[in-house]
Amino acid sequence: MNTWKRQMAVVFGVALSASLLWGCSGGGGSDKGAGSAGGKESQKAEASAEGSQGQGSGQGENSQTAGSVQKESSQAAGGTGEISWPEGDIQCIVTAGAGGGTDAVARAVTTPLEKELGKPVVVINNGSAGGMVGMEEIAAAAPDGYTLGVFSNTDVANFVYGSDGCEFVLEDFTYIAGLNSTGDVLVMKKGSPYQTIDGFIAYARENPGAVTVALPSTIQNLSLSLMNQAMGIETTGVVYEGGNKVFADLVGGHIDAGILSAKFIAQADEQGMTILGLMLDERLETFPDIPTFQEQGYDISNPAVRMLVGPKDIPQELVSKIEDALKVCYEGDAREGLLTIGESPVLRTGEELDTFLQDDFAMREELLK
Amino acid sequence: MSLIVEVLTQLFHWQTLLVCFAGTAVGTVLGAIPGMNGGIGIAIMLPFTYSMEPARGLLFLGGMYLGSSYGGSISGILINCPGTAESACTTIEGYPMTRRGEGKRALYYSVTASAVGSVIGLLVLLLFTPVLSNISVRFGPPEMMLLAICGLTIVGSLTGKHVAKGLLAGLIGLFMAMIGIDDATGAVRFTFGYKGLRGGVELIPAVIGLFAIAEMVKQGMGIGQEENGEILTLKDCRCVDVLKETLIRYRKVVMKSSLIGTFIGILPGTGGAIASFLAYGEAKGKDEEGTFGKGNPAGIIASEAANNAAVGGSLVPMLSLGIPGSATSAIMFGALTIHGLVPGQRLFVDHADIAYTFMLGMFVTAIFMLLIGIAGIPVFATVLKLNVSQIMPIVILCSLVGAYSVNNSMNDVVVAVGCGVLGVALAKLEMPSTPVVLGLILGGLIESNFIRTWTIVSSRGENLLWYMVKRPLCIGIFLLTVYLIYANIRAMKRGREIQNSTNIRVEEQEG
């Protein structure tokens, strides 16, 4: 009898959790008539579309098609003429853990953005599988503007071109705006005998392959190969789990050099480590003293731009509305917020972003494939 | 002089104290709920601290960190479901005490050891940060690899009756650490085509599954429980007595464990879980009576003092170098940078008020933790008056929701449930599940650092062994490993002898 009771209790607990989690993961958008449009949950998406019609909003039309053909949905929204978005919470899936660089940029922008839009923008961190899972969720969401995301061009291209397990393509997303501008820097270990580019190159040429360069993840392999090409040297990349560990081993002198994101410049400076150059076309607003490799005669450019994105086929009216709101934010709070965390606030939208991404993704495809 | 005044006025401002108290209380409660976890809590609360003054925001998160490091032990001791990996070892000794009716006593040991451990860790942080930060970066890839291998010897202390079964459980953990996308090459391993496993088996969902979910299912099925359904008695005991006992009788264990905890905390990429495993293993190695695993207070004290001391330790490299010592302090690091503060020597000069308010404030949170713990124990202990079937749905609910909240993803829920099934299977086979967690934590460390060492060595065209022999720290860690294995075998033999002699005695009495 007692065992039976206990078993019922277990079943009850599972049922409770299942219903709650179901509500959290799938139904987050249902009250706004969005529903998640993942293949498995198509039934549910239909149900939520039905529910939302009761609300009688312009969004109802949109969501009817959420589970099936996404192109139609954009036409439907286009047909309604005016846009009433946003009517509810907007969720923003950040494909990195809380406390990191991408998260900081996302929050510095979403905080003023929600004031501008008048509705909460809820940041959800999903850094699982290096961010791949979060990207999948963004790609699978309904293109109604209630599911947005933040990731960088480097991350998404690295998955699409460099990883076997990746099941989305670059065209699965709507790229709304570039939020910042940053790049990698080449940092020498603490107390390194090589304080100039010439010295570093000379040593690397003498000992091909013997120079070890720490990389925060496989993504920086690209920076490394660009560097090797431009300098005509051969170095060995050593992959770490994150910039913090790279930084630790550089301070400890366990590895010759490291390629780190520009946000480490201040810390590296504090430890008296030499930074040979920045892998961008022009200097950063936040660190004007760090020269680019370009101006020192080496063509190394690997720009990393965190972008506000959404699933593909978000109606153009909606994108324009978000762009306008962002432009207002970058006049004030978003700019200041980004500068405080050491990020250069460069807003790229519309054609500017498209051109940038076209060139950037083409470069990455060539190097990563 | 003005700095001292400034720091003290900031520190004893009612808002600062309130923030300290709130952080500690929230952390303790989150830590105590199986499935919820300090790390998750801190990640959730992080954005709320952005609008606070830097020192207050940091203190709030620091309080949560400290509180959750202690809080995990509460559910471990009372219902055999450790809230965090840090308190897995506490549970091994704590739950048997609860079954004996000494649950309250175990809780008092845990809170006093946690408080003492915290204070020692924080003292080290306050006084020796400049010296120790240099030591922490001495540990490069080969040292970290050897240290993790050294940590594996602790499996010997966690095996229970059958050594082989314990070792097998450790191997399962090591295997689980390999699942997912490999960091170095991007290759997908052991996912069997299931997408949800690409992210690997993360520690938090694994702990939730192996301990909380599995324990509830086990109790539901009546596995491993001789007396089913009886409501446990609860003997009363005085807090002061336990406090005295901790500080006098167990002073050696407390000191040693706190120092182990602080040191492990200082090393980048480790954390309270490894600290508590090592301290527990060390304490058990010194076991004279063979009572470990059956409710020995020294085990609780070792584990809890170490995991709380690791908090102070992990803040040493974070403040002085910008290298967080643990996953949780990596999240706190975000709170530091969001205010534009750059960690390093200058932090202690240019922003001395913030740095010292934070460090001194952490002592205040340690005191709050002690008070909250002592005041809360009678309340926590009422859980034992509940029927297990009333606890089960709540624990399972919290577990699955907690697993979901790690990455806001159903994948981790699936992993947690899978680990729950594994936990039940292990229990059926009479295998301990704690070595699985140890293997999971250390497996990743060993592999990634081995690959790094290998790459560096081969790029220089050197021999791996020669490269390590040239590094004195490597030799030191290697010798320590050998000693620990020896101590394990010795303890095991002694345990067997004691077992035999007690069996004989029992037989004699019965005869």
Side-chain angles (χ1 to χ4, degrees), chain A residues 6 125 165 167 241 254 270, chain B residues 137 346 408 448 452 471:
Chain A
R6 288 181 179 196
N125 297 95
E167 291 181 0
E241 297 106 27
H254 303 291
E270 183 75 9
Chain B
V137 294
R346 273 223 314 266
N408 299 304
S448 59
R452 259 167 240 154
R471 299 169 79 104

Side-chain angles (χ1 to χ4, degrees), chain A residues 2-3 5-7 9-10 12-14 16-17 20-21 24-25 98-99 103-104 107 124-129 132-133 136-137 163 165 167 209-210 212 218 236-241 244-245 247-249 251-252 254-256 266-267 270-271 340-341, chain B residues 43 46-47 50 137-141 181 183-184 188 195 198-199 216 219-220 228-229 320-324 331 333-334 337-340 342-346 388-389 392-393 396-397 400-401 404 407-411 413 448 452 455-456 459-460 471:
Chain A
N2 210 336
T3 323
K5 235 194 216 167
R6 288 181 179 196
Q7 278 163 359
V10 172
F12 179 57
V14 171
L16 252 179
S17 333
L20 184 65
L21 288 174
C24 280
S25 62
D103 180 58
R107 288 182 196 275
I124 296 170
N125 297 95
N126 186 346
S128 184
M132 194 194 271
V133 177
E136 241 158 44
E137 275 177 16
S163 178
E167 291 181 0
T212 44
T218 47
T236 305
V238 183
V239 181
Y240 282 68
E241 297 106 27
N244 288 325
K245 287 180 189 167
F247 187 74
D249 273 7
V251 176
H254 303 291
I255 195 147
D256 297 324
Q267 262 172 271
E270 183 75 9
Q271 294 302 319
T340 315
I341 57 171
Chain B
L46 177 68
Y50 288 167
V137 294
R138 287 272 181 88
F139 282 72
I181 294 177
D183 286 320
V188 183
K195 285 190 341 185
R198 281 171 314 178
M216 289 299 109
Q219 296 205 357
N228 225 334
S320 59
L321 299 168
I323 303 162
I331 305 172
F333 185 53
T337 49
I338 201 80
H339 294 288
V342 180
Q345 218 61 54
R346 273 223 314 266
V388 189
S389 49
M392 270 180 211
I396 290 184
L397 177 72
L400 296 182
V401 173
Y404 178 78
N407 279 315
N408 299 304
S409 150
M410 285 302 283
N411 288 341
V413 179
S448 59
R452 259 167 240 154
T455 323
I456 294 173
S459 79
R460 293 183 187 167
R471 299 169 79 104

Side-chain angles (χ1 to χ4, degrees), chain A residues 213-258:
Chain A
V213 183
L215 313 170
S217 73
T218 47
I219 293 173
Q220 283 74 20
N221 266 322
L222 190 98
S223 293
L224 183 72
S225 57
L226 283 173
M227 186 185 91
N228 285 348
Q229 263 175 33
M231 294 181 176
I233 55 174
E234 201 182 308
T235 55
T236 305
V238 183
V239 181
Y240 282 68
E241 297 106 27
N244 288 325
K245 287 180 189 167
V246 172
F247 187 74
D249 273 7
L250 285 173
V251 176
H254 303 291
I255 195 147
D256 297 324

Side-chain angles (χ1 to χ4, degrees), chain A residues 23-103:
Chain A
C24 280
S25 62
S30 68
D31 48 346
K32 287 152 293 181
S36 97
K40 275 185 289 181
E41 298 176 16
S42 60
Q43 276 190 327
K44 190 170 186 312
E46 270 171 45
S48 71
E50 268 173 42
S52 68
Q53 274 189 320
Q55 292 182 346
S57 66
Q59 217 56 45
E61 253 186 279
N62 192 352
S63 59
Q64 252 182 327
T65 49
S68 49
V69 187
Q70 284 166 338
K71 265 193 183 158
E72 273 179 36
S73 82
S74 66
Q75 280 165 4
T80 55
E82 64 185 64
I83 287 212
S84 49
W85 182 90
E87 291 181 322
D89 294 6
I90 300 157
Q91 57 168 339
C92 181
I93 300 173
V94 175
T95 65
T102 306
D103 180 58

